Amino acid sequence: RTMDFEYMQSEWWAFKELYKKGLIYEDYRSLHICPRCETTLSQGEVAEGYKDIKDLSATLKFKVKGTPHFAEASRGMQENTYFLAWTTTPWTLPGNVALAVGEKIKYVLVEFENKNYILAEERINDVFRDKEYKIIREYLGRDLVGSEYEPLFDVYAKDENLKNVKNGWKVYVADFVIEDGTGIVHIAPAFGADDMAFGKQKNLPFVQHVKMDGTFKEEMGELAGLDLKPRADEKPESVRKADIEMLRVLGDKVFSKNSPLHSYPHCWRCDTALLNYATSSWFVAVEKIKPLLLKTAKKINWSPAHIKEGRFGQWLLGARDWSISRQRFWANTIPVWRCDKCKKEFVFASADELEKTSGVKVNDLHKDVVDQVTFDCKCGGKMKRVPDVLDTWFDSGSVPFATKRPIPADFIGEAQDQTRAWFYYQHVLAGALFGKEAFKNCIVTGIVLAEDGKKMSKKLKNYPDPTEMMEKYGADAMRFYMLNSPVVQADNLSFSEKGVDEIAKKNISRLYNVLSFYELYKDDTLVNSKSKNILDRWIIARLGELIATSTEGYENYKVDVAVRPLTDFIDDFSVWYLRRSRDRFKEQDGDKKDALATLRYVLHTISRVMAPSMPFFAEYIFQKTREIDEPESVHLASWPDLVKKPLFGSDILTKMSETRSIVNLALAERIALGIKVKQPLSLLKIRNSKSEIRNDDELLNLIKDEVNVKEIIFTDKIGKEVELDANITEELREEGILREVIRAVQAERKAQKLIPQDKISVRILAPEKEKLIIEKNKEFLLKEFRTTDILVKSGETLLIKIDKK
Ligand SMILES: [Zn+2]
Ligand SMILES: [Zn+2]
């Protein structure tokens, strides 16, 4: 879409707005390129590839021009006096535009073989070694400033149109000069960030004699086309042939040469020696608007919060002007037309503006189209587009206004590597164009790694295929797994299939079972939350708690906080609420209505709470529980209302939690005693005489039911937290057997998928003792099974069969 005509026009508009505000300028940009890959490398990439190589260094003779102001007392100087400067990169010498000396460094004029040389006093012994020389005079660096010298190559110095040409090929003072080499530094602004900065500061001419592919330009005469650096397939340690050729061409302008070991950056991809290369570029003056950007950034809410002053804030503090032009083909174009004679510029904000001035209508702003558009300048010259295209970050930074969205946007989210990219460029453009921040809230995610903690790699196949994962576990399980993970707090996540499986089982399967149960028993009962039943009141309180936490999480853009409590809720809902409530649905009285109304209410509400995190399943549940006049989809329904905290936060939550913990302890105790739950016991003692629940019959009944005991007492006089009376009386045994029979019949009904209305006949095989008990209670069982037909025979073990009538 960034390649749509409208989108591209928006970027033209933005460019012109920035241009009008004086926030666009053209300058040179220093970068490292690999001449073999013909790409630019980032600072990080450059730092990775330093290697020691043997370089060819040389000391060059720069001939002093005319009679310099410092020459009054010297003899013969006009004819043959030279500055000596040293370089480890002879290939840069055609780009030389100045020499630099240290202001307070001592220099000497030395006579050697009928010629005069100027160099730092400190360096004489090294440069002249055992040669015979005579010191004629001494100077300070500042005495030499302003003197002119003859360029080693005159092709650029002769060009009267070269910008700042009058400032070139002179001696300047620079504070970075030290007594190294000859104490005089060769300055070539096209090759190195320091030199370029110095060139800008002194308004020096800019000379680029090398092409992007690392060969000399045509104007270099016999050197034209020569490769600068050894390619990777050549020996990288070899002394460079371009340097050798350069020194050969320079002939007697070379004073001496040497091959020192030298640390030099190489391409990390292909090992080719890099070029430090400057090219012309268009910039957005970010530093000029930095105070504004820092101010607007204060308004952004970040999740996690530390990004604000950390990763993003620090990056913004150090923000530099943004180079927005590239020398590529397939990208949006820079809308600047410039006269080839008088250099006058036109900037266009749209195709219409271009048409008004040029008379040419275009429907596409790509390079191949708009580069054809030229028109006459008043001076008689030709207006042509500057050849560059826009950086792709200019495209993505333009998203807010190019897609006509409100600025600032409410919310954006992306991975942490975008803090210095997409987030940053949007913020810069929104600030520069509208004086605003680009977005109000931003969620920064981490990176999803393979299970082994390594980067996911197609080659290593160290991660499962996402499509297969979706097929196997569903998109909701994948989505919930991610949202529930540290990745939403800008931390990295080691992706684990087991984790997704667990989410699918814990959340989706369990809730699906609850829904199936509801489907089985549902009637026309409407959603209602007013039931007085203890389990209903509890699950509604839990739901209120869930809504509160989830709402707070989403409102603060803390997605994990918003989604995490769902798992516990679903657990409570299925493992406790539904299991404890099961029997209520089978009854025919008012409690069934309450249970159904509550179950429908909870399912209906939770579908809305789940909608952002499990959208498909949420929709499924919503459709099964929605009422006639409600929105068609859960994604059109409103977020559940917040219940005031005291309402749900009443003691029911803590009381239920104590109840469940007692149940768990008592059941563990049964396992320790080896007594099955279906065998009723007479007494459970609980060691907490002041328990909150000791007078709450509803909760005590829950415990009695769940633990299958007749009585509960609270006391402080036992050793363990709970204690069961393990004595099984005849009466208890009888009850246990009847219970077992009833359970077995229920299980059979379920296995045969019978509905409650189905009538059955029952056949029982039982050992003698059990048989007696069953026969004794036949009347009771006939009523329980709502049948007239129970057949009991002797058998080895208790075996129960049913048949649908
Ligand atoms: Zn390379
Ligand atoms: Zn013109």
Side-chain angles (χ1 to χ4, degrees):
R1 286 209 297 140
T2 55
M3 286 302 144
D4 291 349
F5 183 53
E6 278 307 315
Y7 195 105
M8 291 172 85
Q9 290 210 99
S10 299
E11 289 181 59
W12 274 31
W13 168 83
F15 185 96
K16 185 166 183 179
E17 285 298 302
L18 298 173
Y19 188 92
K20 286 194 293 195
K21 291 180 182 204
L23 293 176
I24 294 269
Y25 68 95
E26 194 187 15
D27 206 336
Y28 291 94
R29 173 167 84 110
S30 177
L31 31 82
H32 279 91
I33 60 169
C34 168
R36 188 166 173 276
C37 307
E38 286 192 40
T39 53
T40 61
L41 282 82
S42 71
Q43 282 310 307
E45 290 173 314
V46 173
E48 261 178 65
Y50 270 89
K51 284 204 296 194
D52 279 342
I53 55 167
K54 260 213 169 141
D55 250 339
L56 185 59
S57 74
T59 303
L60 278 302
K61 294 153 69 176
F62 292 82
K63 189 160 197 238
V64 179
K65 212 171 174 181
T67 310
H69 59 272
F70 58 81
E72 75 287 352
S74 327
R75 46 196 178 86
M77 183 183 261
Q78 298 91 323
E79 282 312 304
N80 47 18
T81 299
Y82 301 86
F83 293 110
L84 286 180
W86 178 76
T87 178
T88 53
T89 50
W91 60 268
T92 64
L93 286 167
N96 172 275
V97 294
L99 292 174
V101 294
E103 188 178 8
K104 288 172 185 160
I105 294 176
K106 264 192 202 162
Y107 292 87
V108 286
L109 184 72
V110 171
E111 191 188 299
F112 168 65
E113 291 181 346
N114 292 322
K115 289 193 170 84
N116 300 314
Y117 298 99
I118 297 168
L119 73 161
E121 183 184 33
E122 192 62 16
R123 304 298 305 153
I124 300 178
N125 288 340
D126 273 359
V127 175
F128 286 88
R129 297 191 184 257
D130 40 9
K131 295 178 182 116
E132 269 189 40
Y133 60 87
K134 199 161 91 194
I135 294 175
I136 311 288
R137 256 199 85 153
E138 286 183 5
Y139 311 100
L140 282 177
R142 60 171 176 252
D143 301 330
L144 304 173
V145 169
S147 41
E148 294 182 51
Y149 63 90
E150 290 176 9
L152 296 178
F153 293 84
D154 60 359
V155 53
Y156 297 104
K158 278 191 317 208
D159 179 3
E160 282 167 26
N161 287 326
L162 181 67
K163 201 176 162 197
N164 296 327
V165 69
K166 60 179 195 318
N167 297 333
W169 299 279
K170 290 181 182 168
V171 175
Y172 290 84
V173 157
D175 48 17
F176 54 76
V177 176
I178 52 167
E179 285 158 285
D180 183 26
T182 62
I184 300 177
V185 174
H186 139 63
I187 302 286
F191 309 100
D194 290 344
D195 285 25
M196 187 156 84
F198 188 71
K200 281 183 192 173
Q201 190 194 332
K202 303 289 182 192
N203 292 319
L204 297 178
F206 181 88
V207 170
Q208 178 56 279
H209 65 285
V210 179
K211 293 199 274 190
M212 272 289 264
D213 67 357
T215 61
F216 287 126
K217 288 183 176 170
E218 286 71 29
E219 61 262 30
M220 291 308 298
E222 64 173 301
L223 290 171
L226 187 68
D227 262 339
L228 281 185
K229 294 277 174 180
R231 303 294 172 103
D233 44 5
E234 297 168 298
K235 258 208 277 178
E237 294 82 6
S238 68
V239 173
R240 305 159 183 159
K241 59 181 183 301
D243 287 336
I244 295 173
E245 282 298 293
M246 179 61 65
L247 296 182
R248 185 185 60 76
V249 167
L250 285 168
D252 64 2
K253 291 173 183 162
V254 180
F255 180 82
S256 66
K257 47 193 172 188
N258 202 346
S259 305
L261 210 57
H262 175 68
S263 182
Y264 196 86
H266 289 71
C267 175
W268 62 273
R269 290 190 199 89
C270 74
D271 235 16
T272 302
L274 300 181
L275 296 182
N276 194 330
Y277 186 91
T279 176
S280 125
S281 180
W282 293 81
F283 289 85
V284 172
V286 177
E287 288 173 61
K288 223 165 157 179
I289 55 167
K290 199 187 280 184
L292 168 80
L293 296 178
L294 288 168
K295 206 175 115 197
T296 52
K298 293 248 180 293
K299 297 185 188 162
I300 303 172
N301 172 43
W302 293 87
S303 176
H306 62 77
I307 303 279
K308 183 178 189 143
E309 301 297 334
R311 227 178 145 86
F312 188 75
Q314 288 305 311
W315 184 249
L316 206 51
L317 270 179
R320 305 271 292 272
D321 286 357
W322 172 18
S323 158
I324 51 165
S325 61
R326 296 291 179 269
Q327 285 86 29
R328 275 189 285 108
F329 185 80
W330 191 253
N332 198 355
T333 41
I334 287 189
V336 178
W337 269 252
R338 183 183 282 154
C339 173
D340 57 7
K341 242 171 122 183
C342 72
K343 307 292 176 201
K344 187 179 166 189
E345 281 174 2
F346 273 96
V347 181
F348 301 112
S350 64
D352 277 354
E353 280 192 14
L354 175 62
E355 188 187 348
K356 262 182 211 138
T357 309
S358 70
V360 185
K361 188 176 171 62
V362 293
N363 294 313
D364 182 356
L365 302 182
H366 280 96
K367 192 172 164 67
D368 53 336
V369 178
V370 293
D371 281 6
Q372 307 302 316
V373 181
T374 61
F375 50 94
D376 295 332
C377 176
K378 277 183 185 146
C379 79
K382 256 280 180 263
M383 282 282 183
K384 288 180 186 160
R385 198 184 70 82
V386 303
D388 296 357
V389 296
L390 284 166
D391 178 12
T392 52
W393 287 117
F394 200 89
D395 300 338
S396 23
S398 302
V399 165
F401 54 88
T403 55
K404 317 225 164 4
R405 284 167 216 266
I407 295 171
D410 280 330
F411 151 72
I412 66 169
E414 253 292 350
Q416 45 155 306
D417 50 343
Q418 300 298 339
T419 354
R420 292 166 182 188
W422 193 49
F423 301 152
Y424 170 72
Y425 292 119
Q426 281 194 70
H427 185 68
V428 166
L429 285 181
L433 293 166
F434 310 103
K436 291 182 187 170
E437 67 280 13
F439 41 87
K440 292 183 199 160
N441 298 284
C442 183
I443 294 183
V444 185
T445 58
I447 293 165
V448 181
L449 302 167
E451 192 162 10
D452 55 10
K454 291 189 184 127
K455 242 177 137 170
M456 284 191 173
S457 144
K458 275 190 185 149
K459 215 165 76 189
L460 294 174
K461 284 205 157 96
N462 59 352
Y463 62 97
D465 181 344
T467 320
E468 277 171 33
M469 296 290 290
M470 303 264 199
E471 295 269 315
K472 203 164 159 190
Y473 303 102
D476 278 354
M478 285 279 276
R479 184 184 174 93
F480 192 84
Y481 172 71
M482 299 284 184
L483 294 178
N484 191 35
S485 80
V487 87
V488 297
Q489 284 289 327
D491 283 328
N492 294 345
L493 164 71
S494 299
F495 184 90
S496 133
E497 179 170 352
K498 239 171 74 192
V500 181
D501 184 42
E502 208 180 295
I503 293 286
K505 285 191 181 125
K506 267 195 178 170
N507 298 282
I508 296 169
S509 305
R510 276 187 182 171
L511 198 50
Y512 186 80
N513 289 339
V514 178
L515 184 67
S516 306
F517 185 86
Y518 168 73
E519 290 273 284
L520 194 63
Y521 289 97
K522 72 171 181 197
D523 53 22
D524 53 3
T525 306
L526 296 180
V527 159
N528 194 319
S529 62
K530 305 233 159 32
S531 168
K532 296 277 182 288
N533 176 287
I534 183 85
L535 285 161
D536 293 345
R537 282 193 286 128
W538 169 71
I539 197 66
I540 282 162
R542 275 288 283 118
L543 188 62
E545 186 183 45
L546 171 73
I547 295 167
T549 324
S550 205
T551 305
E552 199 184 329
Y554 282 125
E555 277 178 352
N556 293 301
Y557 294 86
K558 293 192 166 88
V559 183
D560 52 341
V561 173
V563 307
R564 197 156 291 151
L566 266 168
T567 304
D568 275 350
F569 180 82
I570 291 169
D571 186 72
D572 282 356
F573 189 31
S574 103
V575 172
W576 189 247
Y577 174 78
L578 189 67
R579 201 162 55 78
R580 288 308 323 146
S581 297
R582 237 168 238 281
D583 292 338
R584 300 169 56 208
F585 291 89
K586 296 167 189 167
E587 291 161 14
Q588 293 303 328
D589 59 12
D591 197 38
K592 177 181 178 176
K593 284 274 169 206
D594 282 345
L596 269 176
T598 307
L599 183 56
R600 183 168 179 178
Y601 173 81
V602 176
L603 283 167
H604 184 270
T605 308
I606 202 178
S607 75
R608 288 178 290 155
V609 179
M610 284 163 56
S613 57
M614 289 181 262
F616 298 104
F617 191 33
E619 179 70 4
Y620 185 75
I621 299 175
F622 185 77
Q623 292 307 333
K624 299 282 186 192
T625 55
R626 73 180 267 262
E627 293 180 357
I628 278 166
D629 52 350
E630 285 189 310
E632 272 175 70
S633 158
V634 70
H635 303 295
L636 299 171
S638 53
W639 183 253
D641 288 334
L642 272 179
V643 185
K644 287 269 180 290
K645 228 167 185 161
L647 258 179
F648 73 74
S650 64
D651 52 358
I652 191 165
L653 290 175
T654 48
K655 280 182 175 176
M656 187 61 89
S657 143
E658 190 188 343
T659 304
R660 293 185 70 183
S661 126
I662 290 167
V663 165
N664 288 337
L665 290 166
L667 291 178
E669 186 67 10
R670 269 183 172 275
I671 290 170
L673 293 167
I675 304 172
K676 288 180 184 162
V677 182
K678 60 192 170 200
Q679 175 58 61
L681 292 174
S682 56
L683 181 64
L684 171 66
K685 292 182 187 169
I686 297 164
R687 192 188 63 189
N688 184 1
S689 62
K690 297 207 169 54
S691 168
E692 292 282 325
I693 65 170
R694 67 186 192 280
N695 295 319
D696 193 322
D697 285 342
E698 279 179 301
L699 292 173
L700 295 180
N701 284 337
L702 276 183
I703 299 174
K704 285 180 191 168
D705 244 23
E706 188 71 10
V707 183
N708 199 7
V709 291
K710 301 284 170 199
E711 204 187 332
I712 295 173
I713 55 172
F714 289 87
T715 167
D716 287 328
K717 291 175 188 142
I718 53 171
K720 288 187 254 177
E721 278 184 81
V722 299
E723 203 178 273
L724 281 164
D725 181 350
N727 179 32
I728 302 169
T729 61
E730 269 314 304
E731 211 180 359
L732 287 172
R733 183 172 304 282
E734 192 173 322
E735 195 184 330
I737 286 163
L738 290 179
R739 215 178 257 251
E740 199 174 340
V741 172
I742 292 168
R743 291 230 165 171
V745 169
Q746 278 167 353
E748 271 293 299
R749 288 191 75 113
K750 200 176 170 190
Q752 295 186 25
K753 298 200 165 71
L754 299 184
I755 58 164
Q757 287 76 27
D758 288 327
K759 295 251 183 304
I760 52 165
S761 61
V762 182
R763 285 173 290 141
I764 303 173
L765 288 179
E768 213 44 41
K769 207 171 171 187
E770 279 86 349
K771 196 177 157 217
L772 282 173
I773 291 170
I774 292 165
E775 274 165 349
K776 189 177 144 200
N777 292 282
K778 202 160 176 181
E779 281 305 308
F780 164 75
L781 290 174
L782 282 171
K783 230 171 123 191
E784 179 73 25
F785 300 146
R786 276 181 278 140
T787 181
T788 50
D789 201 4
I790 297 181
L791 188 68
V792 191
K793 283 184 171 176
S794 302
E796 292 277 306
T797 54
L798 191 63
L799 199 68
I800 291 152
K801 289 278 176 207
I802 65 169
D803 295 293
K804 191 181 163 191
K805 284 216 285 198

